[in-house]
Amino acid sequence: MFEELTEMHGYLYKLVHARSPEDTPGMKVDNNNHLMLLVFSDKQKITIERKPYHVGPHKVILLPAGLWIEDESESMGSLALEFVMLEETQANHYAPVSLSQVIEVELSPFPSLYQSVLDIRTKWSGERVDQLKAQHMFLELLIMIMENAAEKPHTEHERLVKQTVEYIHHHYHRNISREHLAERAGLSSNYFTRIFKRQLGKSPMSYLSAVRLNHAKQELLLTKDSFRTIAQRIGYADEFYFSRKFRMMTGMSPSMYVKQMKKADKIVSLHHHLTGHLLALGIEPYAAIVNSYYPIALHNTIEIGHFRPDLDKLASVNPDVIFTCDIYDEETSAKAKMFEHITQTISIPFYDDWRTQFCKIATATGKDKEAGLWLERYQAKSLSVRTSIKPYVEGKTALIIGLGNGILCLFGQRNVGAVVYDDLGLKPPSGLGSIPLYREIAYEDIFDYDPDIIFLTSFRNDGSQQTKTAIRQTLNQWYRDPRWKSKRAVRNQEVYSLLESQHLYTMYTAYSHDLLLDRLHDLLVSDLSKEWT
């Protein structure tokens, strides 16, 4: 492979097309053209001449002329650049030349790679001057790929750079120098800088500055701390130096940046509970993850994914700011590295209390006053509901059971529990112990508890018919089980259902908790949902 790549150094190249494979899921490369396929998804499925290729992120595939290729991915995971490769046959005379085989190149992560390829595709569809720029960018990309493949770092070097990156992310607030990082790696400063830049596309100190800048942006938007405090927190002793550094890297002062971001119109939410917080603040997201899992009314929101963000859709809406969390599933984690290259991304800590999350989003969007008034109203409402239900629940224990597709759980202090146990003051049954979030259980485990009240709610309910059927089967199994019938809550007809709206009430969000207060009031002071017993 490396030999053929080395031979390519002597050829001339011309970009002839740029596209996403989704534009044409199956296509035959022209007999004179080659295809450069750049892969960014973790689970990309590609078929070349009926031969399957299962490839991971940061992979480049160079295809000889005339091959048939199919992209089987469900969402955007690759971009394709079609090009001609020319060989000088005699003075000033050139003829097309073809590769003899498919070449796969594993790239070291380049943070700007995805955006660079997107820019090439965008410029290629523009005016002639933009197409000329696309040609230039394509050649730079090709050179970078060849250099990266020819000088593939040793595994030990990759390990050292990875350790350095982890060290920077954990200790960015300290006084760190290039010499200190090189010494930790056991290499000379110059050599260490070369291998670091080869893998990440920037020097160690540039990487450190980028990490500090990202944390500074988060601090500026999510807190009301002074520039001096923020500067010291991210590793700069002098707030004036911090301001100069910030302006140099962003083109604006910290204060101007904050002012601009608080006026952002195109707000994107990548998590349902963040969408709920935004709605409670009176903000409908410009774009968001949308599915029946969280059945809320979004009239003007653009869908950029059903359960995970689609990078192509996300980039196409040209957002001003992206709200996300610091915890992802495995598939989204690979995409998360790209979010910051699309636009400013604000990460809300997943395990923060919901009120803290709500206030941070309010600060970032300039809605502090609205958040304060909302929380005052919510507090008054929760006290009113607590008083209204007291005659019906005083001295009673409550158990919150989540039902899904073949899975069960008991909810703790978050989600529904935040309202039931914290705001309304009901007590968990004896033996439940501490459950911070939820605890998955087996069918038999449910009979270990004998609460006065049982709430039935959704757990990982995607709204599919399969899940609905599975939940109904579990309920029917309980109703036929003598142990269920003997439970105090069942005998006293105090089993209440929140299942009809999937996760409308179970999301750990201001919007859902407000709705849940009303729903619990209706259930506990009336005879609603007694049929579930």
Side-chain angles (χ1 to χ4, degrees):
M1 179 191 73
F2 293 122
E3 291 78 5
E4 188 146 17
L5 277 171
T6 302
E7 291 180 7
M8 291 175 63
H9 294 179
Y11 300 141
L12 296 179
Y13 299 89
K14 180 181 179 182
L15 180 67
V16 296
H17 202 56
R19 64 179 126 203
S20 289
E22 294 95 312
D23 299 339
T24 51
M27 60 181 178
K28 186 177 187 299
V29 183
D30 187 275
N31 287 332
N32 290 325
N33 297 348
H34 297 74
L35 197 70
M36 177 193 293
L37 192 67
L38 297 105
V39 179
F40 301 98
S41 173
D42 260 349
K43 299 179 180 179
Q44 192 76 4
K45 297 179 181 179
I46 297 168
T47 301
I48 302 173
E49 293 291 296
R50 299 184 178 179
K51 179 182 177 181
Y53 282 72
H54 297 276
V55 296
H58 304 290
K59 176 69 72 70
V60 174
I61 301 177
L62 299 174
L63 300 169
L67 294 188
W68 177 264
I69 176 174
E70 292 183 75
D71 185 349
E72 303 174 29
S73 60
E74 295 180 359
S75 64
M76 188 274 170
S78 59
L79 291 168
L81 303 176
E82 199 168 340
F83 65 95
V84 175
M85 191 162 67
L86 300 172
E87 179 182 27
E88 188 173 19
T89 55
Q90 53 183 310
N92 299 321
H93 287 80
Y94 297 87
V97 62
S98 179
L99 296 171
S100 61
Q101 62 178 333
V102 175
I103 298 178
E104 297 182 60
V105 180
E106 189 78 36
L107 287 181
S108 299
F110 282 86
S112 61
L113 179 61
Y114 176 75
Q115 189 59 50
S116 296
V117 181
L118 272 184
D119 288 344
I120 292 174
R121 193 181 70 168
T122 301
K123 285 181 170 53
W124 182 253
S125 61
E127 302 295 331
R128 296 181 68 88
V129 66
D130 289 325
Q131 293 180 5
L132 184 61
K133 291 178 182 178
Q135 291 281 1
H136 178 72
M137 294 172 67
F138 168 71
L139 292 176
E140 288 186 333
L141 175 63
L142 191 60
I143 291 170
M144 183 193 73
I145 291 170
M146 290 181 177
E147 289 179 345
N148 187 257
E151 302 176 21
K152 184 68 177 174
H154 189 275
T155 302
E156 177 64 12
H157 289 168
E158 292 180 341
R159 184 185 66 83
L160 291 173
V161 170
K162 182 179 179 181
Q163 287 180 348
T164 300
V165 167
E166 291 175 353
Y167 180 82
I168 288 174
H169 279 279
H170 283 95
H171 303 285
Y172 63 88
H173 55 284
R174 295 183 178 178
N175 184 17
I176 298 176
S177 66
R178 184 183 73 145
E179 289 70 26
H180 173 66
L181 295 175
E183 183 180 353
R184 283 182 50 82
L187 301 171
S188 70
S189 297
N190 289 337
Y191 184 61
F192 170 71
T193 299
R194 284 200 300 273
I195 68 169
F196 191 100
K197 190 171 184 178
R198 183 185 299 150
Q199 289 190 53
L200 298 185
K202 58 180 64 177
S203 70
M205 299 311 290
S206 293
Y207 188 87
L208 172 62
S209 294
V211 171
R212 285 175 169 171
L213 176 68
N214 187 55
H215 281 278
K217 289 179 177 179
Q218 300 287 320
E219 296 281 345
L220 287 167
L221 294 174
L222 296 179
T223 74
K224 300 175 185 177
D225 295 338
S226 67
F227 291 169
R228 182 178 184 180
T229 299
I230 292 174
Q232 293 175 344
R233 194 178 291 154
I234 65 171
Y236 296 121
D238 183 347
E239 68 266 32
F240 300 107
Y241 176 74
F242 160 64
S243 295
R244 290 197 300 273
K245 193 78 172 177
F246 192 96
R247 183 187 292 273
M248 182 178 69
M249 297 180 71
T250 65
M252 65 183 78
S253 67
S255 57
M256 181 60 70
Y257 171 79
V258 172
K259 186 176 181 180
Q260 177 177 298
M261 294 307 300
K262 287 182 184 294
K263 293 182 177 180
D265 293 322
K266 295 183 177 180
I267 297 174
V268 173
S269 169
L270 300 187
H271 296 264
H272 289 316
H273 73 281
L274 301 183
T275 299
H277 287 318
L278 288 166
L279 290 175
L281 290 169
I283 301 172
E284 180 173 339
Y286 180 74
I289 299 293
V290 179
N291 56 47
S292 59
Y293 191 92
Y294 192 33
I296 52 179
L298 297 172
H299 303 289
N300 301 303
T301 300
I302 301 171
E303 175 262 309
I304 46 89
H306 293 299
F307 290 96
R308 299 175 182 85
D310 183 303
L311 289 178
D312 202 22
K313 289 182 178 180
L314 182 59
S316 69
V317 300
N318 193 28
D320 295 328
V321 61
I322 297 171
F323 279 97
T324 185
C325 280
D326 55 353
I327 293 180
Y328 304 100
D329 59 30
E330 184 178 350
E331 184 174 337
T332 308
S333 292
K335 298 179 180 180
K337 300 172 185 177
M338 305 297 179
F339 298 158
E340 193 66 43
H341 298 289
I342 294 175
T343 193
Q344 171 61 50
T345 301
I346 300 177
S347 181
I348 304 297
F350 179 81
Y351 287 109
D352 272 359
D353 173 81
W354 72 269
R355 288 175 174 83
T356 302
Q357 292 181 346
F358 181 61
C359 289
K360 284 183 177 179
I361 292 176
T363 298
T365 55
K367 295 282 187 177
D368 291 302
K369 181 179 179 180
E370 290 83 350
L373 293 173
W374 192 97
L375 288 172
E376 287 179 11
R377 184 184 64 81
Y378 180 86
Q379 182 66 17
K381 182 177 180 179
S382 63
L383 289 174
S384 175
V385 173
R386 188 168 183 163
T387 301
S388 297
I389 67 173
K390 185 176 180 179
Y392 303 91
V393 303
E394 189 170 14
K396 295 181 179 180
T397 59
L399 186 68
I400 308 168
I401 305 174
L403 295 90
N405 189 357
I407 52 178
L408 295 170
C409 84
L410 300 178
F411 280 105
Q413 300 301 315
R414 283 172 68 103
N415 301 79
V416 180
V419 178
V420 172
Y421 298 132
D422 293 342
D423 296 331
L424 299 184
L426 276 75
K427 302 299 181 183
S430 175
L432 185 64
S434 176
I435 303 178
L437 182 54
Y438 63 83
R439 179 193 299 154
E440 289 194 40
I441 59 171
Y443 175 84
E444 293 295 324
D445 296 337
I446 204 68
F447 304 110
D448 293 341
Y449 310 98
D450 192 21
D452 299 295
I453 299 171
I454 293 176
F455 294 106
L456 303 176
T457 189
S458 290
F459 180 54
R460 298 178 185 170
N461 184 351
D462 60 3
S464 67
Q465 189 57 49
Q466 182 182 17
T467 299
K468 292 178 181 178
T469 300
I471 291 174
R472 174 56 64 181
Q473 289 173 345
T474 299
L475 292 171
N476 289 337
Q477 187 177 0
W478 278 342
Y479 302 155
R480 293 191 300 267
D481 195 316
R483 293 172 296 176
W484 175 262
K485 295 179 181 179
S486 68
K487 285 195 170 296
R488 186 183 301 113
V490 178
R491 294 198 316 269
N492 295 333
Q493 293 189 326
E494 290 199 76
V495 179
Y496 303 100
S497 174
L498 300 168
L499 290 164
E500 73 280 1
S501 297
Q502 291 167 246
H503 291 277
L504 182 63
Y505 302 118
T506 63
M507 283 292 167
Y508 193 60
T509 172
Y511 183 82
S512 288
H513 291 349
D514 191 42
L515 294 176
L516 182 56
L517 281 178
D518 293 330
R519 181 63 175 153
L520 290 176
H521 177 270
D522 290 342
L523 291 176
L524 293 168
V525 301
S526 72
D527 291 330
L528 293 176
S529 290
K530 297 300 185 184
E531 70 272 12
W532 290 96
T533 60

